[in-house]
Amino acid sequence: MSSVGPSDRSRSVESFKVMDVLRRANQLESEGRTIHHCEVGQPESGAPPLVARAAVAALNGPPGQSRMGYTDAFGLVPLREKISEHYRRKYSGVPSERIGTERVVVTTGSSGGFLLAFTACFDAGDAVAIASSGYPCYRNILQALGCELANVPVSEEFKLTAAELRKEIRRRKDGGKKKLKGLILSSPSNPTGAMLSVEELKELCEFCEEEGIRFLSDEIYHGISYGKKEATALSFSSTAVVINSFSKYYSMSGWRLGWMVLPVDLLDPINVLQQNMFINAPTISQTAAMQCWEDDTIEELEKHVAKYRASREFVLREMETIREISAKNVAPADGGFYVYVDLGDANVCREKGLGSTEMCRQLLEKEGVAFTPGTDFEDPANKLGDRRFRISAGGTITVKKAMELFHHFWPTWVKLVKDAKK
């Protein structure tokens, strides 16, 4: 009898480590422990009231309204019109033809957008560039699709700009490696919070077009930034794919709703892929999301951002008080709600298994604080993952208690590492 089992493809994909941390944290909670969740990248606040009420009203409405049947593969037209209008209002210098309603596709979260975009843009064996410190699902999905990863080292400012991409292209050419087919990058970044300036984004878009590299711009953290001006790749590129989501700024993480703005050449391929992979994004979520740009909703969401700003500033101040961690080892946190920290060689002893992964495990088990180890975000080849960790600061109350407990735990960890190095 021939054996059956999982595919080599599935076995080659790494787990999404933050979800492993969440699973253990939830298990501890089910046992009666109090857990302070600073691992997952989601707001502490739920969906705005108008959004929630719209969902309830739709479900309780007359049969024709509450049926929640299929939509067009690209999504509800009124929602796509609102997304298009959002770009006209928020960003300057975007040619109108790039943000027409026909260019917008509503997706099953940004994750659905990544899968659609990767499948439409790349074939197995294509080389796709990602930042050496970046969102792990880029790496994992691309590998599952058989793409070759080009991990581009970020700068000292934790950025991937045209300068870093130019170096990677030169390195690949000198090494006889295949040409890059694409680049996916988020700004503000997960996990670092680093954010490209308008000029840096413009230069990167123009460089990608010159080199024939498809740029996928992940703009999921737009709306959550702290002083720097946001810009969209649509202002500078006619070939870029923009991916966004209702999960972060709009506080709808569990509603599984996102969108893409597409160049002309990808409209038909994405339509076909969406029809076959997802049919359409959740209809109830689409219906509710049409309330996202109402004045009362935006007022509520800006209050959320004020909380993220306060949480971010609190964590950064707290990190400044830990003398063993240098200020240059804390990423800039220009946007999003993460603070990314490098413990440095002095605060780990990896040959004895005492890296950031073990630190996060002990912190969770002993203090009930859930942080995410950097192994989720780093290029495995750079060996930095087990030296770094991410704090998700999506809520002020949670993060204050978490940092209090981290301070209590920290001297124990420092002593443990010091003793291990003797």
Side-chain angles (χ1 to χ4, degrees), residues 8-112:
D8 291 340
R9 181 202 310 272
S10 67
R11 284 198 294 258
S12 72
V13 178
E14 292 289 332
S15 67
F16 191 8
K17 301 296 188 299
V18 67
M19 301 310 293
D20 293 340
V21 176
L22 177 62
R23 181 173 58 184
R24 177 57 181 159
N26 287 342
Q27 182 182 356
L28 290 172
E29 276 187 320
S30 72
E31 296 169 0
R33 294 278 303 277
T34 298
I35 303 298
H36 305 281
H37 290 278
C38 295
E39 75 282 51
V40 289
Q42 67 179 357
E44 187 176 64
S45 306
L50 277 181
V51 171
R53 286 200 293 268
V56 173
L59 290 173
N60 290 331
Q65 178 183 335
S66 62
R67 183 167 56 90
M68 291 296 130
Y70 296 134
T71 73
D72 181 286
F74 268 29
L76 293 171
V77 172
L79 178 58
R80 292 162 59 203
E81 289 174 342
K82 287 180 179 290
I83 293 170
S84 176
E85 181 61 25
H86 163 71
Y87 282 92
R88 290 188 177 88
R89 290 184 177 183
K90 182 176 175 67
Y91 303 101
S92 59
V94 184
S96 59
E97 67 272 11
R98 294 181 189 170
I99 52 174
T101 303
E102 72 282 356
R103 299 285 193 98
V104 177
V105 53
V106 183
T107 62
T108 306
S110 61
S111 301

Side-chain angles (χ1 to χ4, degrees), residues 405-417:
L405 292 169
F406 179 62
H407 274 292
H408 179 263
F409 167 82
W410 179 250
T412 304
W413 175 257
V414 171
K415 184 178 185 303
L416 186 65
V417 171

Side-chain angles (χ1 to χ4, degrees), residues 85-276:
E85 181 61 25
H86 163 71
Y87 282 92
R88 290 188 177 88
R89 290 184 177 183
K90 182 176 175 67
Y91 303 101
S92 59
V94 184
S96 59
E97 67 272 11
R98 294 181 189 170
I99 52 174
T101 303
E102 72 282 356
R103 299 285 193 98
V104 177
V105 53
V106 183
T107 62
T108 306
S110 61
S111 301
F114 297 143
L115 184 57
L116 289 168
F118 294 163
T119 311
C121 294
F122 311 126
D123 291 311
D126 283 345
V128 183
I130 60 174
S132 60
S133 300
Y135 182 54
C137 294
Y138 301 157
R139 177 181 295 110
N140 295 343
I141 297 172
L142 285 166
Q143 284 184 322
L145 295 174
C147 293
E148 177 186 312
L149 296 176
N151 288 279
V152 182
V154 296
S155 69
E156 290 185 356
E157 296 177 305
F158 293 88
K159 292 181 179 181
L160 194 169
T161 68
E164 284 71 45
L165 188 60
R166 194 173 285 112
K167 290 177 186 175
E168 175 65 17
I169 289 173
R170 190 178 306 120
R171 186 185 70 81
R172 297 182 71 82
K173 189 175 294 185
D174 292 346
K177 296 188 175 182
K178 65 179 65 171
K179 187 178 183 298
L180 291 177
K181 185 75 175 288
L183 163 70
I184 179 157
L185 181 70
S186 61
S187 174
S189 165
N190 175 12
T192 67
M195 186 172 169
L196 299 184
S197 68
V198 176
E199 294 74 22
E200 287 169 335
L201 180 61
K202 182 176 186 290
E203 183 183 8
L204 183 62
C205 288
E206 291 174 348
F207 182 63
C208 283
E209 291 207 343
E210 289 170 12
E211 294 291 327
I213 295 170
R214 177 78 75 178
F215 179 35
L216 280 61
S217 181
D218 179 356
E219 300 177 2
I220 189 172
Y221 293 99
H222 276 210
I224 310 174
S225 57
Y226 312 107
K228 290 193 173 183
K229 184 177 180 181
E230 296 173 347
T232 176
L234 297 167
S235 295
F236 312 117
S237 174
S238 62
T239 61
V241 176
V242 165
I243 301 170
N244 210 318
S245 172
F246 289 90
S247 293
K248 309 304 181 183
Y249 176 75
Y250 300 98
S251 294
M252 295 176 65
S253 56
W255 298 66
R256 307 315 304 138
L257 198 67
W259 76 81
M260 292 192 291
V261 185
L262 303 173
V264 171
D265 66 306
L266 291 180
L267 292 176
D268 287 342
I270 292 288
N271 185 41
V272 170
L273 289 167
Q274 175 87 310
Q275 290 171 352
N276 284 280

